Amino acid sequence: MARSREIPISLPSVDDLFTTQEECDEAAREKVSELPLGAIGPFPDHPFRVRDDEEMADLASSVAERGVLTPVVVRPKEDGRYELVSGHRRKRAAELAGLSKVPAIIRNMSEDEAVVTMVDANMQRELVLPSEKAA
């Protein structure tokens, strides 16, 4: 009489092995995450100034009342922290408003891409000082 030797093997289903185009597209989409303010560091040599003036006080008051409405843009660093690319004034206003987190888009960018994004975002401001444009 032959004895059966069953080896329990569990195989993944076809659905576990393959993803749909929709799932791939969803995974590639940028998402807004809540990041702790302490995990976001400054952009090196950021030429645009963030001033604690009356306009900043107004922005901080608005952020305290309504939160940060437009996410900041950051890029991941190797140490697990983030580098602020766009949204320096919003981040400062969140700090002044006493928030511990800020909505952020985490985007993988090269140094050059980050600089272009930072400059483009700042050129959309209402008032860009001549010294900032020169930098």
Side-chain angles (χ1 to χ4, degrees):
M1 188 182 249
R3 294 188 337 196
S4 80
R5 294 186 182 168
E6 289 186 32
I7 300 174
I9 298 176
S10 65
L11 298 174
S13 70
V14 172
D15 289 338
D16 290 339
L17 291 174
F18 300 101
T19 58
T20 65
Q21 185 62 47
E22 183 178 303
E23 291 168 331
C24 289
D25 293 344
E26 178 62 28
R29 274 192 201 104
E30 291 182 334
K31 295 174 181 62
V32 175
S33 302
E34 289 283 323
L35 295 181
L37 287 170
I40 303 171
F43 192 89
D45 302 321
H46 185 264
F48 301 96
R49 302 292 165 238
V50 175
R51 293 177 171 73
D52 285 343
D53 53 13
E54 187 177 330
E55 288 181 20
M56 178 56 70
D58 290 344
L59 181 58
S61 175
S62 172
V63 166
E65 186 177 326
R66 296 179 191 88
V68 177
L69 301 179
T70 303
V72 300
V73 177
V74 298
R75 68 183 193 146
K77 293 173 57 177
E78 291 179 7
D79 62 2
R81 294 176 42 83
Y82 301 91
E83 184 176 272
L84 186 60
V85 175
S86 173
H88 292 76
R89 287 178 39 82
R90 283 169 274 155
K91 179 181 181 272
R92 178 65 181 144
E95 292 168 346
L96 293 172
L99 302 183
S100 61
K101 294 182 178 182
V102 67
I105 296 172
I106 303 167
R107 186 177 293 164
N108 290 313
M109 293 184 250
S110 69
E111 181 79 18
D112 290 342
E113 291 169 327
V115 169
V116 168
T117 300
M118 177 199 53
V119 171
D120 282 349
N122 278 285
M123 297 314 283
Q124 294 176 10
R125 290 180 15 215
E126 287 183 30
L127 175 63
V128 178
L129 300 174
S131 61
E132 293 174 333
K133 286 182 183 179

